[in-house]
Amino acid sequence: FEERDAPKPLKGKRALVTSGPTFEPIDPVRYIANRSSGRQGHAIAAALHRLGAEVTLVTGPTRLADPPGCAIRPIETAREMLAACEAALPVDIAVCAAAVADWRVAGESDRKLKKDGGGPPGLTLTENPDILAALSQSTSQRPALVVGFAAETGNVVEYATAKRIRKGCDWIVANDVSPGTTTFGGSENTVHLIRDGGIEDWPTMGKEAVAARLAEAIAQHFNQPSA
Ligand code: CTP
Ligand code: CA
């Protein structure tokens, strides 16, 4: 059984996936970032490609190999991620798995900040664009299916359900990042798939398995008679 003989239910579909962290500059040598490994997003890009989709992967800096067969758009900041996503439109499917920095430094310095005897600099933060919301709420080129992730602790499903409505995406994959789970930077994920049809609780599984199952659900969505 070879890869080329595998069924390609997403043949002819275009997909956009965001992955990894963003790096938000403080000055030319320093930045604010987070611990996202990019594993989940990269695995989703690979899984969609395996099912036949034409995939663009917009990714922040990671240590991962490029998933085979995908067009890779490397970016650093949230603003660059938004621009790269907009440039990839139109697509049928968008999956936002990136850990986008919620804030960036307002008035980033174009010179390296120096210890000048005046004490540490105060950093003022400003909010970054929300890429998932922008894609979901795009009036001209909205992807037919927009999927977000929601990293939550506590009432995971409740918070993620509210996030889905607030952002306007079609599906949200709620991610339990409570202490004791291994999600962030780890290899396993405990998720719930929230959509109009209801909520599916998936067992804890590897990020590759989550990606494969999500890609299958997406293929099913596009191949069901009413889609
Ligand atoms: N997301 C995005 N752009 C942002 C922030 C988040 O595209 N600036 C996307 C993420 O890729 C994810 C979803 O939105 O698919 C939810 O991200 P999350 O951080 O859980 O939600 P926030 O709206 O940032 O809320 P908070 O971090 O306050 O819980
Ligand atoms: Ca956030």
Side-chain angles (χ1 to χ4, degrees):
F1 184 80
E2 297 204 356
E3 178 75 0
R4 67 173 178 276
D5 302 321
K8 303 284 186 204
L10 289 176
K11 197 167 163 46
K13 296 283 186 253
R14 290 167 51 83
L16 165 66
V17 179
T18 71
S19 186
T22 62
F23 282 11
E24 307 295 337
I26 297 169
D27 69 13
V29 298
R30 306 185 178 97
Y31 59 87
I32 295 175
N34 63 65
R35 294 186 190 282
S36 168
S37 66
R39 277 190 66 162
Q40 189 63 79
H42 277 55
I44 290 165
L48 291 171
H49 169 72
R50 276 198 303 276
L51 296 189
E54 190 188 314
V55 180
T56 301
L57 174 63
V58 178
T59 178
T62 75
R63 298 161 161 275
L64 302 174
D66 292 344
C70 302
I72 312 293
R73 303 279 177 266
I75 55 82
E76 290 201 344
T77 68
R79 287 165 295 169
E80 290 166 358
M81 181 172 275
L82 176 63
C85 287
E86 284 172 341
L89 297 177
V91 298
D92 304 287
I93 303 153
V95 181
C96 293
V100 183
D102 291 330
W103 305 286
R104 68 174 182 275
V105 175
E108 114 196 30
S109 173
D110 54 10
R111 302 173 292 115
K112 185 184 164 194
L113 300 180
K114 303 288 280 178
K115 288 174 292 185
D116 61 3
L123 294 181
T124 305
L125 301 180
T126 186
E127 195 158 335
N128 264 329
D130 188 318
I131 293 139
L132 175 62
L135 292 170
S136 299
Q137 294 162 26
S138 147
T139 45
S140 52
Q141 294 197 297
R142 189 191 191 279
L145 181 66
V146 181
V147 183
F149 272 73
E152 309 287 355
T153 61
N155 300 327
V156 173
V157 168
E158 188 188 316
Y159 294 145
T161 301
K163 203 166 268 181
R164 170 173 174 253
I165 292 165
R166 192 164 70 239
K167 304 223 182 196
C169 59
D170 302 297
W171 299 1
I172 206 150
V173 181
N175 226 327
D176 194 338
V177 295
S178 306
T181 65
T182 53
T183 300
F184 224 67
S187 62
E188 300 224 298
N189 233 345
T190 309
V191 308
H192 314 268
L193 177 60
I194 302 172
R195 45 186 175 175
D196 274 344
I199 300 167
E200 277 178 28
D201 304 316
W202 293 3
T204 297
M205 54 179 120
K207 289 183 175 176
E208 279 69 25
V210 168
R213 190 161 164 176
L214 182 64
E216 284 296 342
I218 290 170
Q220 249 175 40
H221 172 81
F222 280 98
N223 290 294
Q224 72 199 3
S226 60

